[in-house]
Amino acid sequence: MVVNVGNTGNAGRAAGIAWGVAERYREFSWREARGRSDAHEELSARISQDAELCDLLSGSLPAGNKQQPNLLLAAVRYLDGPHAEMGPRGETAYGRWREWTIRHWDEVRAVIMQRATQTNEPARCATLLPLLARLPQPLALLEAGTSAGLCLHPDRYRYRYEADGEDGDGRRTVTLRSELGAPESPLELICRTGGAADELPDRMPEIVWRAGIDLDPLDPAAEPDDLRWLQALVWPGDGERTARLSAAVDAVRPAPRPRMVRGDLLDELPALAAEAPPEATLVIFHSSVLTYLPPARREEFARLVRSLLDGRPGGGHWISNEHHSVLPWITGPAHRSPRPDDPLLLTLALDGHPVALTGPHGQSLHSFPGGGGHPGELSAARYP
């Protein structure tokens, strides 16, 4: 096939749009990929300097989420483009990647238009578990932006909470703080933590109802193509996340499927929340989801959640796990970060009260010192 990578229509406007795409890839390389994926850092930086390819992206993809760098990079990996496993490194490898992407642009674009960047990180269950275990049991879990629903099954994984330290010679030591969960699970989640031992869960939650909403819910346990897409979204060279994803799918495969609803978060939330059994504590939760909504819709979502829980007999709880820039009005203590050098940390909040900072992939959990208490102290803050 032949792809026209030139501008059409108003040249000045098109050039401005292409510049915006280039800037988006430059920001992705610098702020997101740097220090996490050498391959994606280099690839997105090279794309940002490739005016012809940026022109193609801006001219054939709608503005907004469809122009996300993650989506293009995953689509090429999903289609087994060159260097799919480790990512293209060096000018020659980038040339092969670029040539293949342009030559197969119809297929790449079709995947981008059909799919979304809906990574499902089951390890975030390790940061949610301390809150879930302390809420009034049993629980009805409702996840907004559930993707494949892997975070709706925290009771099917094993957990190991560890604290880093040093011995007398300055060598790194690891101390086991807590260990619990399904003993036969194929997935063990390890989470670094600190603070008092009573901040960590000493029991598993009792979950009697599970449901999720997503624009395109996936079922990787039953649909190999859905699992393949989730694997393509894992960044090149991150074998640990790939293995964790496969183990989580194996862990949930024998379980009954949660109630999964396809549609907009705000449109579908009221009716789905009404289905939760009245004898259970309804917990509406989400992780790294609201960033995909414009700011006004985020505020509307927060008001809707509060309203639903206010109107539910016995109330309920709202757990958010988002970057501090997404819900800035509830993340005041973020400046007390135990790791202020890490801009990717998420703020865990219960019922609008900031509780802790968490690793973006569930790898760490650090409570705010004196700035909102630890997960156990806020369990009584219910709606209404």
Side-chain angles (χ1 to χ4, degrees), residues 8-257:
T8 60
N10 185 286
R13 179 177 178 275
I17 295 173
W19 181 89
V21 169
E23 186 64 21
R24 190 166 188 173
Y25 276 83
R26 188 176 299 112
E27 286 288 304
F28 176 85
S29 174
W30 177 254
R31 298 188 181 278
E32 297 189 46
R34 184 169 61 100
R36 295 176 58 202
S37 170
D38 291 342
H40 269 8
E41 179 184 2
E42 178 182 334
L43 177 55
S44 52
R46 288 185 181 277
I47 293 172
S48 75
Q49 298 168 18
D50 189 331
E52 192 177 39
L53 184 57
C54 288
D55 185 58
L56 170 63
L57 299 176
S58 64
S60 57
L61 294 173
N65 288 337
K66 292 302 180 182
Q67 292 184 2
Q68 293 176 78
N70 256 334
L71 198 49
L72 170 66
L73 305 183
V76 175
R77 297 188 73 210
Y78 175 81
L79 294 169
D80 287 326
H83 312 284
E85 288 303 313
M86 300 305 296
R89 306 296 305 279
E91 185 174 351
T92 300
Y94 174 70
R96 286 194 293 267
W97 183 94
R98 179 189 190 276
E99 187 275 334
W100 187 96
T101 300
I102 292 176
R103 181 159 44 89
H104 294 86
W105 182 244
D106 282 351
E107 299 101 300
V108 173
R109 185 182 185 278
V111 172
I112 291 174
M113 297 305 296
Q114 178 187 0
R115 295 289 189 174
T117 50
Q118 50 190 146
T119 50
N120 200 179
E121 179 48 79
R124 289 177 183 146
C125 288
T127 61
L128 301 174
L129 191 69
L131 291 179
L132 296 176
R134 286 175 166 84
L135 296 178
Q137 307 292 310
L139 304 180
L141 298 186
L142 196 168
E143 184 178 16
T146 192
S147 184
L150 299 179
C151 289
L152 284 168
H153 296 275
D155 50 343
R156 299 197 70 86
Y157 312 136
R158 292 178 289 125
Y159 300 87
R160 183 180 176 92
Y161 293 91
E162 300 177 344
D164 291 336
E166 292 184 354
D167 62 15
D169 297 323
R171 292 173 296 194
R172 178 178 178 267
T173 62
V174 176
T175 303
L176 175 64
R177 303 294 304 282
S178 178
E179 193 171 23
L180 73 164
E184 304 302 321
S185 177
L187 177 61
E188 180 180 61
L189 301 175
I190 299 175
C191 182
R192 301 191 314 275
T193 188
D198 63 357
E199 297 179 16
L200 300 177
D202 57 5
R203 63 172 180 171
M204 295 296 290
E206 178 188 358
I207 303 167
V208 296
W209 184 83
R210 309 165 205 260
I213 306 170
D214 201 275
L215 288 174
D216 184 23
L218 305 178
D219 187 359
E223 298 292 339
D225 201 51
D226 285 351
L227 177 58
R228 180 179 174 83
W229 174 243
L230 288 174
Q231 291 170 334
L233 286 163
V234 177
W235 289 7
D238 196 341
E240 185 176 327
R241 284 195 73 194
T242 300
R244 191 162 61 231
L245 174 62
S246 296
V249 172
D250 289 341
V252 307
R253 184 172 280 115
R257 296 290 187 269

Side-chain angles (χ1 to χ4, degrees), residues 214-302:
D214 201 275
L215 288 174
D216 184 23
L218 305 178
D219 187 359
E223 298 292 339
D225 201 51
D226 285 351
L227 177 58
R228 180 179 174 83
W229 174 243
L230 288 174
Q231 291 170 334
L233 286 163
V234 177
W235 289 7
D238 196 341
E240 185 176 327
R241 284 195 73 194
T242 300
R244 191 162 61 231
L245 174 62
S246 296
V249 172
D250 289 341
V252 307
R253 184 172 280 115
R257 296 290 187 269
R259 170 94 161 92
M260 303 287 271
V261 173
R262 183 185 303 271
D264 180 82
L265 300 182
L266 281 77
D267 293 343
E268 304 296 338
L269 187 60
L272 187 56
E275 295 180 21
E279 69 276 9
T281 299
L282 175 61
V283 181
I284 299 174
F285 73 101
H286 50 91
S287 293
S288 297
V289 168
L290 299 191
T291 185
Y292 297 105
L293 299 181
R297 292 283 279 175
R298 298 171 196 168
E299 296 185 22
E300 186 180 352
F301 175 83

